[in-house]
């Protein structure tokens, strides 16, 4: 009021009339007052001055200048568009208010580019919080709040669209709210004005948050989204999500993985669990419906199969008659087999049991060889195996006497004596004594001693710890009263050695049992295996010239406990692996076991022979002999079976599973003779069969071992228009590229050319063509042409360079 009075006195020209004393008392509050012609003059006169700045002694900010510009626009009159255009330029504002470029740019943005709602919010915030420690003019001047501005720069450039202030103001409104929240939560001493750099980072976090919330909304259930978004917004406003949001926006490819932000993961997990649960319920319902339909179809097919099988059941009396005929056939067939064994043994492998005196040995042998009289020249090989020297002295003496008598029958005879071998169960003195006993007996009987033979052995399949000897002393002998001998040129007599012959593995010994009875020291040297003894027989035939009609007799005077010569000769005669040898052996011990073993070999060969009678009687064809038309049940071994796989189609303990189980029980009751699925293959009952390799109705079998080559192409026919080529040198292949970009490769070596999958050859995805090219010298080459566009498939081939 005092100021108004003073101004009135001055305007009325009464200042000189005021007493000096009064004028002095007014001097302390004296002020200068001016009257203005209009509002524009008043604003210009007071620019940079405001009530707040006068009261707080703080200079005005951009919002003060914005207010004054608005007043000037209102008072300016004239063209509104021209007024707006003039005051939107920062240079005009800077000149009018004598302020800096940043402040002028901030005023310009607030006037024209920042949404009005945002300006009002910022203005209210500055009015309460003050500009100095709340918001910098730099942030406003650099368009942080402008519509169309984006913080998508540098690392976030790919996210420019998501980080742009749109017309809807969602991003900038949340951005401003976050600025206010962060400032209010900060302690007063720590508060500072928001700089441009900090504003950019906060703007990026805000844009990232809105983007990922939108991604979450697109897949999240609508009824649960509000709670989730409210929770996420609360965390964002506290600043917990900023590092994850900025990192995700800077390193991930748009649109980005929402799981990169840790706060979103629980909601995603909850959503996925709900979706999974819903899907499982739906799948369970569909599976239940499918099981019901599957069960209905399965039951219908099984009922049909039951009816088909029921109609195939034979009459009881007919079945019993057929069974009786089958048993009679099997008995008669077995009788035929036994008769065949007896005939074969009588002619090819006869074993006779002898006592210690061997009195009947020679007469029985003469009776045996009588069947070959007049059929051809007879040759005789006599053998005594003393590898393990018998303990019965009288038996040894009788064997030596019989051995000499057999060799004295003909000059076509040769004898082989296998001397004792040392082993831990005998002493050296006993070994020498036994050898001396044999030598004295041979000299006394008139047998030659000059052809000593070294028997050599190998152990191809035995481990290194096998300590059996690889040699044995033997004697090839003749009777001395003959001047010449037919076997004088056989290999053992001529070379003084026999073998090397393969020894059987100890684990394959007859009667070997690792847990019950391991072979002793004598058994280890005594048993050599049929292959070894067959090699000994073949050695005596090596160097001999036999006629087709000649008869070869083999007399085993002293066989070992396992009659291995008999087993070897029987096996070679049955397999037809060499010249037929007629065996005759004097078995002193283990006659029943060895005879039964050889008879079993002969019977098995006869039983498997296609010329033998069928193993089963061929019944007259009936309805029961044909394969029924079954839909679900399997047919194997001329009998039906219930596949276990039908039970696995339904979960255990389910109603469907129990229904199928009841049907299987009914099947077993109705058809008790049905075959059961094999447990060995684990696949249930299946129909068995063999591959048919025949052609033209089985007239000629196909040789599956033959190798088929591609047809050869003459070099003259290999016309290739080439873009480029490289001749092969040394062991390197040649390469030619055709006009169609095909690649040809070949070499002259026998080494396969292996091209691994690579970028040049299309990682093995191309196609190729193989050719064999033959030149005038009949050289063969193997070609590969790859027609894939500039791609070559991996190759497996051998070839030659490209023909020029």
């Amino acid at each position: 009021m005092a100021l108004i009075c003073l101004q009135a006195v001055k305007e009325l020209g009464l200042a000189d009339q005021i007493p000096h004393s009064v004028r002095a008392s007014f001097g302390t509050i004296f002020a200068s007052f001016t009257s203005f012609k209009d509002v524009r003059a008043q604003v210009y006169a007071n620019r940079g001055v405001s009530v707040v700045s006068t009261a707080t002694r703080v200079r005005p900010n951009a919002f003060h200048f914005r207010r004054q510009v608005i007043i000037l626009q209102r008072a300016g009159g004239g063209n509104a568009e021209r007024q707006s255009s003039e005051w939107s330029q920062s240079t005009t504002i800077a000149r009018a208010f004598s302020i800096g470029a940043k402040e002028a740019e901030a005023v310009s943005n607030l006037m024209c580019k920042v949404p009005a709602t945002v300006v009002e919010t910022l203005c209210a915030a500055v009015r309460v919080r003050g500009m100095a420690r709340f918001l910098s003019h730099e942030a406003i001047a650099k368009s942080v709040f402008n519509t169309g501005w984006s913080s998508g720069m540098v690392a976030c450039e790919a996210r420019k669209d998501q980080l742009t202030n749109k017309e809807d103001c969602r991003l900038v409104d949340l951005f401003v709210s976050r600025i206010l929240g962060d400032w209010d939560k900060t302690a007063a001493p720590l508060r500072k004005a928001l700089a441009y750099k900090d504003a950019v980072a906060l703007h990026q976090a805000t844009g990232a948050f809105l983007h990922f919330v939108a991604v979450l909304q697109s897949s999240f259930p609508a009824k649960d989204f509000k709670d989730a978004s409210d929770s996420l917004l609360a965390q964002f406003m506290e600043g917990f999500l900023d590092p994850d949001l900025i990192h995700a926006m800077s390193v991930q490819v748009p649109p980005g993985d929402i799981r990169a932000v840790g706060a979103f993961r629980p909601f995603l997990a909850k959503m996925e669990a709900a979706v999974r649960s819903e899907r499982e319920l739906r799948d369970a319902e569909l599976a239940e419906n499918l099981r019901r339909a599957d069960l209905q179809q399965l039951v219908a097919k099984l009922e049909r199969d039951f009816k088909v099988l029921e109609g195939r059941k034979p009459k009881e009396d007919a079945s019993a008659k057929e069974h009786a005929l089958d048993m009679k056939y099997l008995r008669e067939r077995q009788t035929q087999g036994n008769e065949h064994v007896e005939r074969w043994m009588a002619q090819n492998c006869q074993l006779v049991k002898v006592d210690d005196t061997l009195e009947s040995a020679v007469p029985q042998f003469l009776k045996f060889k009588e069947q070959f009289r007049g059929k051809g020249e007879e040759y005789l090989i006599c053998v005594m195996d003393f590898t393990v020297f018998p303990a019965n002295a009288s038996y040894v003496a009788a064997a030596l006497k019989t051995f000499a008598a057999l060799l004295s029958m003909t000059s076509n005879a040769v004898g082989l004596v296998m001397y004792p071998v040392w082993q831990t169960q005998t002493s050296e003195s006993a070994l020498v004594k036994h050898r001396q006993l044999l030598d004295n007996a041979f000299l006394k009987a008139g047998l030659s001693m000059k052809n000593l033979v070294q028997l050599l052995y190998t152990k191809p399949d035995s481990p290194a710890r096998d300590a059996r000897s690889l040699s044995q002393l033997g004697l090839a002998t003749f009777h001395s009263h003959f001047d010449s001998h037919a076997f004088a040129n056989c290999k053992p007599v001529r070379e003084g050695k026999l073998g090397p012959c393969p020894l059987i593995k100890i684990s394959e010994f007859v009667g070997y049992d690792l847990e019950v009875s391991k072979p002793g020291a004598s058994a280890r040297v005594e048993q050599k295996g049929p292959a070894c003894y067959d090699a000994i027989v073949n050695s005596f035939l090596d160097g001999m010239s036999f006629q087709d009609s000649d008869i070869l007799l083999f007399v085993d005077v002293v066989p070992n406990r396992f009659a291995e010569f008999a087993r070897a000769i029987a096996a070679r005669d049955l397999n037809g692996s060499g010249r037929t040898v007629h065996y005759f052996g004097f078995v002193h011990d283990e006659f029943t076991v060895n005879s039964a073993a050889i008879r079993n070999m002969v019977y098995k060969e006869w039983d498997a022979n296609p010329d033998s009678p069928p193993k089963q009687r061929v019944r007259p064809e009936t309805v029961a002999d044909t394969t029924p038309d079954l839909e679900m049940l399997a047919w194997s071994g001329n009998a039906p079976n219930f596949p276990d796989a039908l039970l696995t189609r339904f979960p255990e303990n389910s109603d469907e599973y129990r229904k199928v189980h009841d049907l299987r029980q009914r099947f077993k009751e109705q058809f008790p003779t049905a075959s059961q699925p094999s447990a060995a293959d684990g696949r249930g009952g299946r129909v068995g069969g063999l591959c048919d390799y025949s052609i033209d109705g089985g007239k000629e079998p196909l040789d599956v071992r033959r190798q088929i080559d591609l047809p050869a192409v003459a070099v003259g026919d290999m016309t290739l228009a080439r873009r480029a080529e490289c001749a092969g040198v040394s062991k390197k292949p040649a390469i030619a590229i055709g006009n169609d970009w095909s690649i040809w490769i070949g070499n002259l070596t026998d080494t396969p050319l292996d091209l691994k999958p690579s970028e040049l050859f299309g990682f093995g995805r191309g196609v190729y063509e193989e050719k064999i090219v033959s030149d005038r010298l009949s050289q063969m080459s193997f070609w590969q042409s790859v027609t894939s566009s500039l791609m070559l498939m991996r190759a497996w081939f051998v070839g030659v360079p490209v023909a020029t």
Side-chain angles (χ1 to χ4, degrees):
M1 182 61 69
L3 292 175
I4 295 174
C5 293
L6 288 174
Q7 182 64 23
V9 170
K10 184 177 180 181
E11 290 291 332
L12 295 174
L14 301 177
D16 295 336
Q17 300 178 18
I18 297 175
H20 180 75
S21 59
V22 175
R23 193 186 318 168
S25 63
F26 285 163
T28 56
I29 56 172
F30 184 79
S32 176
F33 289 88
T34 305
S35 59
F36 300 100
K37 299 178 182 180
D38 53 25
V39 176
R40 290 173 57 87
Q42 183 180 0
V43 171
Y44 278 120
N46 294 283
R47 60 181 180 273
V49 180
S50 65
V51 176
V52 175
S53 62
T54 303
T56 61
R57 295 296 188 266
V58 176
R59 66 185 300 273
N61 55 51
F63 292 94
H64 298 146
F65 295 124
R66 172 182 171 274
R67 173 64 179 168
Q68 293 180 0
V69 169
I70 293 174
I71 296 173
L72 289 174
Q73 285 180 332
R74 292 174 182 174
N79 192 323
E81 292 184 2
R82 185 175 62 82
Q83 290 284 340
S84 176
S85 175
E86 289 179 356
W87 289 108
S88 64
Q89 297 178 9
S90 60
T91 54
T92 301
I93 297 173
R95 287 195 305 270
F97 296 98
S98 300
I99 58 177
K102 289 184 179 180
E103 284 185 273
E105 190 66 34
V107 174
S108 176
N109 288 338
L110 291 173
M111 288 292 299
C112 305
K113 299 177 183 179
V114 179
T117 56
V118 177
V119 173
E120 292 177 4
T121 304
L122 291 175
C123 186
V126 170
R127 188 178 297 116
V128 174
R129 297 166 178 83
M131 186 73 175
R133 302 188 65 183
F134 171 65
L135 183 63
S136 67
H137 285 97
E138 178 189 19
I140 304 175
K142 290 189 176 181
S143 308
V144 171
F145 301 99
N146 292 8
T147 301
W149 181 82
S150 175
S151 59
M153 55 189 72
V154 192
C156 298
E157 187 173 1
R159 305 285 187 167
K160 192 169 185 178
D161 183 63
Q162 290 93 351
L163 301 179
T164 299
N165 295 332
K166 304 291 179 61
E167 295 289 343
D168 58 6
C169 296
R170 290 183 66 247
L171 174 55
V172 70
D173 284 345
L174 183 59
F175 175 51
V176 172
S177 298
R178 177 64 188 275
I179 294 174
L180 297 177
D182 289 354
W183 194 88
D184 292 341
K185 291 193 292 291
T186 304
L190 301 179
R191 291 171 179 169
K192 63 178 181 177
L194 180 67
Y196 172 72
K197 181 178 179 182
D198 298 331
V200 170
L202 187 58
H203 190 276
Q204 292 175 345
T206 306
F209 173 76
L210 291 176
H211 168 69
F212 285 119
V213 167
V215 173
L216 179 67
Q217 184 178 11
S218 64
S219 58
F220 207 76
K223 59 185 178 63
D224 300 327
F225 176 71
K226 187 177 185 309
D227 294 339
S229 62
D230 291 345
S231 175
L232 291 171
L233 180 60
Q235 296 182 59
F236 171 74
M237 294 303 293
E238 294 295 330
F240 298 153
L241 311 184
D242 292 0
D244 285 352
L245 290 171
I246 295 176
H247 177 75
M249 294 297 279
S250 60
V251 301
Q252 289 198 341
V253 177
D257 186 4
I258 197 172
R259 292 177 176 80
V261 184
F264 284 79
R265 293 172 195 156
F267 299 100
L268 283 176
K270 181 180 178 181
M271 178 196 68
E272 291 172 352
V275 172
R276 185 167 54 252
S277 177
E278 182 179 353
R279 184 173 61 251
E280 289 175 354
L281 291 175
R282 184 173 62 255
D283 292 345
E285 183 179 357
L286 293 175
E288 182 66 22
N289 295 336
L290 181 61
R291 284 199 301 270
R292 292 197 191 99
D294 193 14
L295 178 64
Q296 292 177 0
Q297 185 182 36
L298 178 62
V299 171
K301 291 183 177 181
L302 286 175
E303 292 291 350
R304 176 194 172 280
D305 289 352
F306 287 171
K307 290 181 180 179
V308 172
L309 295 176
E310 193 68 32
R312 294 170 53 88
K313 283 187 177 180
K315 303 296 182 180
E316 292 186 4
D317 54 348
S319 178
K321 180 179 178 181
E322 292 294 332
H323 182 69
L325 292 175
D326 290 342
M327 297 302 297
K328 179 182 178 182
Y329 175 82
L330 292 177
R331 287 194 297 269
E332 292 176 352
R333 184 180 185 277
Q334 187 171 5
T335 301
Q336 294 178 25
N338 293 335
E339 291 174 353
H340 169 79
V341 171
E342 294 301 327
R343 289 193 302 270
W344 193 91
M345 293 287 290
Q347 182 178 2
N348 294 283
C349 187
Q350 187 169 346
L351 283 75
V352 296
K353 184 171 178 58
V354 296
D355 54 12
D356 295 347
T357 62
L358 272 73
E359 290 180 349
S360 60
V362 175
Q364 292 188 48
F365 169 69
L366 295 176
K367 182 179 179 181
F368 170 75
K369 67 189 287 291
E370 188 66 26
Q371 59 183 316
F372 306 110
R373 181 185 295 275
K375 293 184 178 181
E377 188 74 16
E378 296 180 357
Y379 292 85
L380 178 63
I381 300 176
C382 297
V383 177
M384 290 194 298
D385 187 356
F386 287 115
T387 301
V388 177
F389 200 81
N392 192 329
S394 58
Y395 167 65
V396 173
L400 293 172
K401 181 179 178 182
T402 303
F403 182 74
L406 293 173
L407 293 179
S408 66
M409 291 182 181
T410 175
S411 62
N412 291 345
V414 64
L416 172 64
V417 180
M418 300 171 67
Y419 279 98
V421 176
W422 181 88
Q423 34 88 12
T424 57
Q425 292 181 350
T426 185
S427 62
E428 295 182 4
S429 59
L431 182 66
V432 174
K433 176 183 176 183
H434 295 157
R435 290 182 180 177
Q436 186 176 6
L437 185 151
L438 296 176
D439 293 343
N440 292 336
F442 295 151
L443 292 174
K444 183 177 180 181
L447 302 181
S448 63
M449 294 290 295
K450 61 182 179 180
N451 297 312
L452 291 175
V453 177
Q454 193 71 22
L455 285 84
L456 304 177
Y457 304 116
T458 61
K459 296 179 285 188
D461 301 325
S462 300
R465 62 178 179 274
D466 188 351
R468 289 178 293 174
S469 175
L470 295 179
S471 64
Q472 181 180 3
L473 182 62
L475 173 67
T477 183
F478 307 97
H479 205 283
S480 59
H481 66 236
F482 295 110
D483 295 332
S484 62
H485 306 89
F487 283 93
N489 292 325
C490 69
K491 186 175 181 179
V493 175
R494 188 176 66 252
E495 298 182 359
K497 68 181 181 68
L498 193 154
C501 306
L503 295 176
I504 190 175
K505 290 173 63 176
I506 295 177
S507 60
E508 296 177 0
F509 279 4
V510 176
Y512 175 83
D513 192 329
L514 181 62
E515 298 180 356
V516 178
S517 58
K518 295 183 180 179
S522 61
R524 287 175 178 267
V525 299
E526 180 181 22
Q527 195 170 169
K528 300 178 177 64
C532 178
Y533 286 95
D534 184 57
I536 294 174
V537 175
N538 288 329
S539 296
F540 278 94
L541 303 184
D542 190 0
M544 299 294 294
S545 299
F546 295 110
Q547 301 295 326
D548 293 340
S549 60
D550 293 342
I551 306 299
L552 185 58
L553 303 174
F554 191 98
V555 181
D556 202 357
V557 180
V558 181
N560 63 6
R561 284 191 305 126
F562 305 98
E564 289 189 285
F565 268 121
R567 296 173 189 256
I569 293 174
R572 66 178 282 145
D573 289 349
L574 290 172
N575 298 332
S577 58
R579 187 178 182 85
T580 301
V581 178
H582 302 278
Y583 176 87
F584 191 87
F586 306 132
V587 182
H588 183 262
D589 300 319
E590 305 292 344
F591 171 79
T592 303
V593 174
N594 291 318
S595 178
I598 297 175
R599 291 175 185 275
N600 188 40
M601 290 172 54
V602 179
Y603 187 87
K604 285 183 177 179
E605 190 278 335
W606 174 85
D607 187 53
N609 196 318
D611 296 332
S612 301
K615 295 183 179 182
Q616 299 291 335
R617 182 178 75 92
V618 180
R619 293 187 177 187
E621 186 174 355
T622 62
V623 176
D625 296 325
T626 60
T627 302
D629 182 17
L630 301 176
E631 293 190 63
M632 299 306 298
L633 297 177
W635 186 263
S636 177
N638 202 31
N641 62 63
F642 196 100
D644 292 338
L646 296 181
L647 285 173
T648 62
R649 295 173 65 167
F650 305 103
E652 289 191 20
N653 300 323
S654 64
D655 295 338
E656 293 82 3
Y657 180 89
R658 286 189 287 270
K659 178 65 175 177
V660 177
H661 186 272
D662 294 341
L663 287 172
R664 186 172 70 167
Q665 293 300 116
R666 175 184 160 193
F667 170 79
K668 291 181 179 180
E669 294 173 0
Q670 287 187 240
F671 310 101
T673 59
S675 64
Q676 297 301 319
S678 173
D681 56 13
R683 296 174 297 176
R686 305 294 296 175
V687 178
L690 297 174
C691 295
D692 183 10
Y693 295 107
S694 62
I695 57 176
D696 296 334
K699 295 179 181 178
E700 181 180 354
L702 179 64
D703 185 5
V704 297
R705 297 170 298 176
R706 65 182 179 176
Q707 296 182 356
I708 302 176
D709 291 329
L710 296 172
V713 179
V715 172
D717 296 337
M718 287 295 299
T719 57
L720 176 65
R722 307 165 193 170
R723 292 179 179 269
E725 63 181 346
C726 177
V729 293
S730 184
K731 297 182 180 180
K732 297 181 179 179
I735 301 177
I737 302 178
N739 288 338
D740 58 350
W741 297 106
S742 61
I743 300 179
W744 295 74
I745 302 178
N747 62 24
L748 283 171
T749 67
D750 294 332
T751 304
L753 184 57
D754 184 5
L755 297 180
K756 301 296 184 182
S758 64
E759 182 179 5
L760 175 61
F761 300 142
F763 298 99
R765 295 176 295 133
V767 295
Y768 65 91
E769 174 188 2
E770 298 175 349
K771 288 185 179 181
I772 296 179
V773 181
S774 175
D775 61 12
R776 296 177 182 177
L777 300 178
S778 299
Q779 294 178 340
M780 303 302 293
S781 58
F782 190 80
W783 284 91
Q784 175 165 6
S785 171
V786 179
T787 57
S788 175
S789 177
L790 288 176
M791 296 293 180
L792 178 59
M793 185 179 179
R794 62 175 180 177
W796 311 90
F797 61 91
V798 177
V800 301
V802 178
T804 58

